[in-house]
Coordinates of all heavy atoms in Angstrom, one line a residue:
Chain A
L146 N 7.3 -20.6 -32.9 CA 7.5 -20.2 -34.3 C 6.3 -19.4 -34.8 O 6.5 -18.4 -35.5 CB 7.6 -21.5 -35.2 CG 8.9 -22.3 -35.0 CD1 8.9 -23.6 -35.9 CD2 10.2 -21.5 -35.2
A147 N 5.1 -19.7 -34.3 CA 4.0 -18.9 -34.7 C 4.0 -17.5 -34.2 O 3.7 -16.5 -34.9 CB 2.7 -19.6 -34.3
V148 N 4.4 -17.4 -32.9 CA 4.6 -16.0 -32.3 C 5.6 -15.2 -33.1 O 5.4 -14.1 -33.4 CB 4.9 -16.1 -30.8 CG1 5.3 -14.8 -30.3 CG2 3.8 -16.7 -30.0
G149 N 6.7 -15.9 -33.4 CA 7.8 -15.2 -34.1 C 7.3 -14.7 -35.5 O 7.4 -13.5 -35.8
A150 N 6.7 -15.6 -36.2 CA 6.2 -15.3 -37.5 C 5.1 -14.2 -37.5 O 5.1 -13.3 -38.3 CB 5.7 -16.6 -38.2
G151 N 4.3 -14.3 -36.5 CA 3.2 -13.4 -36.3 C 3.7 -12.0 -36.1 O 3.2 -11.0 -36.7
C152 N 4.7 -11.8 -35.2 CA 5.2 -10.5 -34.9 C 5.9 -10.0 -36.2 O 5.8 -8.8 -36.5 CB 6.3 -10.6 -33.8 SG 5.6 -10.9 -32.2
G153 N 6.6 -10.9 -36.9 CA 7.3 -10.5 -38.1 C 6.2 -10.0 -39.2 O 6.4 -9.0 -39.9
L154 N 5.1 -10.7 -39.2 CA 4.0 -10.3 -40.1 C 3.5 -8.9 -39.8 O 3.4 -8.1 -40.7 CB 2.9 -11.4 -40.0 CG 1.7 -11.2 -41.0 CD1 2.2 -11.5 -42.4 CD2 0.6 -12.1 -40.7
V155 N 3.3 -8.7 -38.6 CA 2.8 -7.3 -38.2 C 3.8 -6.3 -38.6 O 3.5 -5.3 -39.2 CB 2.6 -7.2 -36.6 CG1 2.3 -5.8 -36.2 CG2 1.5 -8.2 -36.2
N156 N 5.1 -6.5 -38.2 CA 6.2 -5.6 -38.7 C 6.1 -5.4 -40.2 O 6.1 -4.2 -40.6 CB 7.6 -6.2 -38.3 CG 8.0 -5.9 -36.9 OD1 7.5 -4.9 -36.3 ND2 8.9 -6.6 -36.4
G157 N 6.1 -6.5 -40.9 CA 6.2 -6.4 -42.4 C 5.0 -5.6 -43.0 O 5.2 -4.8 -43.8
V158 N 3.8 -5.9 -42.5 CA 2.6 -5.3 -43.0 C 2.6 -3.8 -42.8 O 2.4 -3.0 -43.6 CB 1.3 -5.9 -42.5 CG1 0.1 -5.1 -42.8 CG2 1.2 -7.3 -43.0
V159 N 3.0 -3.4 -41.5 CA 3.0 -2.0 -41.2 C 4.1 -1.3 -42.0 O 3.9 -0.2 -42.5 CB 3.3 -1.8 -39.7 CG1 3.5 -0.3 -39.4 CG2 2.2 -2.4 -38.9
I160 N 5.2 -1.9 -42.2 CA 6.3 -1.3 -43.0 C 6.0 -1.2 -44.5 O 6.1 -0.2 -45.1 CB 7.6 -2.1 -42.8 CG1 8.1 -1.8 -41.4 CG2 8.7 -1.6 -43.8 CD1 9.2 -2.8 -40.9
A161 N 5.5 -2.4 -45.0 CA 5.3 -2.4 -46.5 C 4.0 -1.7 -46.9 O 4.1 -0.9 -47.9 CB 5.2 -3.9 -46.9
Y162 N 2.9 -1.9 -46.2 CA 1.7 -1.3 -46.7 C 1.3 0.0 -45.9 O 0.7 0.8 -46.4 CB 0.5 -2.4 -46.5 CG 0.7 -3.5 -47.4 CD1 1.3 -4.7 -46.9 CD2 0.5 -3.5 -48.8 CE1 1.5 -5.8 -47.7 CE2 0.7 -4.6 -49.6 CZ 1.2 -5.7 -49.1 OH 1.5 -6.8 -49.9
G163 N 1.8 0.0 -44.6 CA 1.5 1.3 -43.9 C 2.5 2.3 -44.2 O 2.4 3.5 -43.8
K164 N 3.6 2.0 -44.9 CA 4.7 2.9 -45.2 C 5.3 3.6 -44.0 O 5.6 4.8 -44.1 CB 4.2 3.9 -46.3 CG 3.6 3.3 -47.5 CD 4.7 2.7 -48.4 CE 4.1 2.0 -49.6 NZ 4.8 0.8 -50.0
V165 N 5.4 2.9 -42.9 CA 6.1 3.5 -41.7 C 7.5 3.0 -41.8 O 7.8 1.8 -42.2 CB 5.4 3.0 -40.4 CG1 6.2 3.5 -39.2 CG2 4.0 3.3 -40.4
V166 N 8.5 3.9 -41.5 CA 9.9 3.4 -41.7 C 10.2 2.3 -40.7 O 9.7 2.2 -39.6 CB 10.9 4.6 -41.5 CG1 10.8 5.5 -42.6 CG2 10.7 5.2 -40.2
P167 N 11.1 1.3 -41.2 CA 11.4 0.1 -40.4 C 11.9 0.5 -39.0 O 11.5 -0.2 -38.0 CB 12.5 -0.6 -41.2 CG 12.3 -0.1 -42.6 CD 11.7 1.3 -42.5
F168 N 12.7 1.5 -38.9 CA 13.2 1.9 -37.6 C 12.1 2.1 -36.6 O 12.2 1.6 -35.5 CB 14.1 3.2 -37.8 CG 14.9 3.5 -36.6 CD1 16.2 3.1 -36.4 CD2 14.4 4.4 -35.6 CE1 16.9 3.4 -35.2 CE2 15.1 4.7 -34.5 CZ 16.3 4.2 -34.3
I169 N 11.1 2.9 -37.0 CA 10.0 3.2 -36.0 C 9.2 2.0 -35.8 O 8.8 1.7 -34.6 CB 9.2 4.4 -36.6 CG1 10.0 5.6 -36.9 CG2 8.0 4.7 -35.7 CD1 10.6 6.2 -35.6
T170 N 8.8 1.3 -36.8 CA 7.9 0.2 -36.7 C 8.5 -0.9 -35.7 O 7.8 -1.3 -34.8 CB 7.7 -0.5 -38.1 OG1 7.3 0.5 -39.0 CG2 6.6 -1.6 -38.0
T171 N 9.8 -1.2 -36.0 CA 10.4 -2.2 -35.1 C 10.7 -1.7 -33.7 O 10.8 -2.5 -32.8 CB 11.6 -2.9 -35.8 OG1 12.6 -1.8 -36.1 CG2 11.2 -3.5 -37.1
L172 N 10.9 -0.4 -33.6 CA 11.1 0.2 -32.3 C 9.8 0.0 -31.5 O 9.9 -0.4 -30.3 CB 11.5 1.6 -32.4 CG 11.9 2.3 -31.1 CD1 13.2 1.8 -30.6 CD2 12.0 3.8 -31.3
A173 N 8.7 0.2 -32.2 CA 7.4 0.1 -31.5 C 7.2 -1.4 -31.1 O 6.8 -1.7 -30.0 CB 6.3 0.5 -32.4
M174 N 7.6 -2.3 -32.0 CA 7.5 -3.7 -31.8 C 8.4 -4.2 -30.6 O 8.0 -5.0 -29.8 CB 7.8 -4.6 -33.0 CG 7.7 -6.1 -32.8 SD 6.1 -6.6 -32.3 CE 5.2 -6.7 -33.8
L175 N 9.6 -3.6 -30.5 CA 10.5 -3.9 -29.4 C 9.8 -3.6 -28.1 O 9.8 -4.4 -27.2 CB 11.7 -3.0 -29.6 CG 12.9 -3.1 -28.6 CD1 14.2 -2.6 -29.2 CD2 12.6 -2.2 -27.3
A176 N 9.2 -2.4 -28.0 CA 8.6 -2.0 -26.7 C 7.3 -2.9 -26.5 O 7.2 -3.4 -25.4 CB 8.1 -0.6 -26.8
A177 N 6.5 -3.1 -27.5 CA 5.3 -3.8 -27.3 C 5.5 -5.3 -27.0 O 4.9 -5.8 -26.1 CB 4.4 -3.6 -28.6
A178 N 6.4 -5.9 -27.8 CA 6.6 -7.4 -27.6 C 7.2 -7.7 -26.2 O 6.7 -8.6 -25.5 CB 7.5 -7.9 -28.7
R179 N 8.1 -6.8 -25.8 CA 8.7 -7.1 -24.5 C 7.7 -6.8 -23.4 O 7.6 -7.6 -22.4 CB 10.0 -6.4 -24.3 CG 10.9 -7.1 -23.2 CD 12.3 -6.7 -23.1 NE 13.2 -6.9 -24.1 CZ 13.9 -8.1 -24.3 NH1 13.7 -9.1 -23.5 NH2 14.8 -8.2 -25.2
G180 N 6.9 -5.8 -23.6 CA 5.9 -5.5 -22.6 C 4.8 -6.6 -22.5 O 4.5 -7.0 -21.4
L181 N 4.4 -7.1 -23.7 CA 3.5 -8.2 -23.7 C 4.0 -9.4 -23.0 O 3.3 -10.1 -22.3 CB 3.1 -8.5 -25.2 CG 1.9 -9.5 -25.3 CD1 0.7 -9.1 -24.6 CD2 1.6 -9.7 -26.8
A182 N 5.3 -9.7 -23.3 CA 6.0 -10.8 -22.6 C 5.9 -10.6 -21.1 O 5.7 -11.6 -20.4 CB 7.4 -10.9 -23.1
E183 N 6.1 -9.4 -20.7 CA 6.1 -9.1 -19.2 C 4.7 -9.3 -18.6 O 4.6 -9.9 -17.6 CB 6.6 -7.7 -18.9 CG 8.1 -7.6 -19.1 CD 8.6 -6.2 -18.9 OE1 7.8 -5.3 -18.6 OE2 9.8 -6.0 -19.0
I184 N 3.7 -8.9 -19.4 CA 2.3 -9.1 -19.0 C 2.0 -10.5 -18.8 O 1.5 -11.0 -17.8 CB 1.4 -8.4 -19.9 CG1 1.6 -6.8 -19.8 CG2 -0.1 -8.7 -19.6 CD1 0.8 -6.1 -20.9

Side-chain angles (χ1 to χ4, degrees):
Chain A
L146 295 179
V148 169
C152 291
L154 185 68
V155 173
N156 273 340
V158 168
V159 173
I160 290 166
Y162 296 99
K164 303 292 176 212
V165 180
V166 290
F168 188 90
I169 300 298
T170 309
T171 57
L172 188 68
M174 180 58 82
L175 180 156
R179 204 169 290 277
L181 187 57
E183 286 176 0
I184 292 171

